[in-house]
Amino acid sequence: SGTGPEPSFRAYLFATMRNTAVSWHRQTRLTETDPDLDESEPNDALSTLEDRARSAEVLDAFQALPTRWQRVLWLTEVEEAKRGEIAAEFGIKPNAVSALYRRARAGLRLEWLTLQVPVELRESREHVAGILPALMLDGGSVTQRREIAEHLRRCETCAEIQDELRSFSARMSRSTLAVAGFAGLG
């Protein structure tokens, strides 16, 4: 009466247990457990305004991406299309869809993090804030990391931007376009 396989039952059971554990882990990461957090009305005006601003920023970052990346992100995260369907649309193999999706997701994260840096700091020659988003994603060379670390010790502005970017990056890595409210804007 079950839907699991009769041969290789042990492998099936372990896969099911692993997937359940991963699902539980993801759910607990997204749950705030601090009782001191202020309760807010989910539909209050400030929350609505913040959600719209965040969605607009994600939309701006999304629109800066190449069309192919936009499409694979849309199909994967908003429409939740299967890899095989996406592969058929692009005329590529499902594994290539996964690679394309990872590149597109990294590109979106880079664009979005760059938008979080104030324009005057992005273009400043005396601050490193403009290169921090790319450095966070690709690591940079040893020499570059050393120079950036030295600058961050001296420059409180760039150090604060780096802390904010780390927070933004962690938040974005746990969300999808649909969670960011992007589907409503699209």
Side-chain angles (χ1 to χ4, degrees), residues 126-129 132 151-152 155-163:
E126 63 187 69
H127 292 283
V128 298
L132 289 175
H151 178 85
L152 293 173
C155 180
E156 188 175 314
T157 302
C158 290
E160 287 177 15
I161 294 290
Q162 182 186 39
D163 290 342

Side-chain angles (χ1 to χ4, degrees), residues 160-177:
E160 287 177 15
I161 294 290
Q162 182 186 39
D163 290 342
E164 289 176 13
L165 291 176
R166 283 183 177 152
S167 174
F168 290 143
S169 181
R171 217 174 313 143
M172 186 175 198
S173 69
R174 293 189 307 258
S175 68
T176 64
L177 294 176

Side-chain angles (χ1 to χ4, degrees), residues 8-20:
S8 304
F9 179 77
R10 182 179 170 153
Y12 171 79
L13 178 63
F14 286 140
T16 302
M17 290 169 43
R18 181 192 69 233
N19 292 340
T20 302

Side-chain angles (χ1 to χ4, degrees), residues 9-10 14 25 33 35 37-38 46 49 54 82-83 89 91-92 97 109 111 114 122 127 138 146 170 181 184 186:
F9 179 77
R10 182 179 170 153
F14 286 140
H25 177 71
T33 57
L37 289 176
D38 292 336
L46 182 59
L49 186 61
R54 183 176 37 244
K82 303 270 188 244
R83 296 283 191 250
E89 180 175 322
I92 58 178
V97 170
R109 180 181 277 167
E111 290 293 336
T114 300
R122 274 186 249 157
H127 292 283
D138 73 14
R146 197 175 304 131

Side-chain angles (χ1 to χ4, degrees), residues 7 51 78-79 83 103 118 137 142-143 148 164 185:
D51 290 346
V78 177
E79 293 186 13
R83 296 283 191 250
R103 285 192 307 272
L137 297 178
V142 172
T143 304
I148 299 295
E164 289 176 13
L185 290 174

Side-chain angles (χ1 to χ4, degrees), residues 80-108:
E80 297 180 347
K82 303 270 188 244
R83 296 283 191 250
E85 296 169 11
I86 299 169
E89 180 175 322
F90 282 96
I92 58 178
K93 295 182 180 189
N95 284 347
V97 170
S98 297
L100 178 62
Y101 171 73
R102 282 191 304 275
R103 285 192 307 272
R105 182 79 177 167
L108 178 64

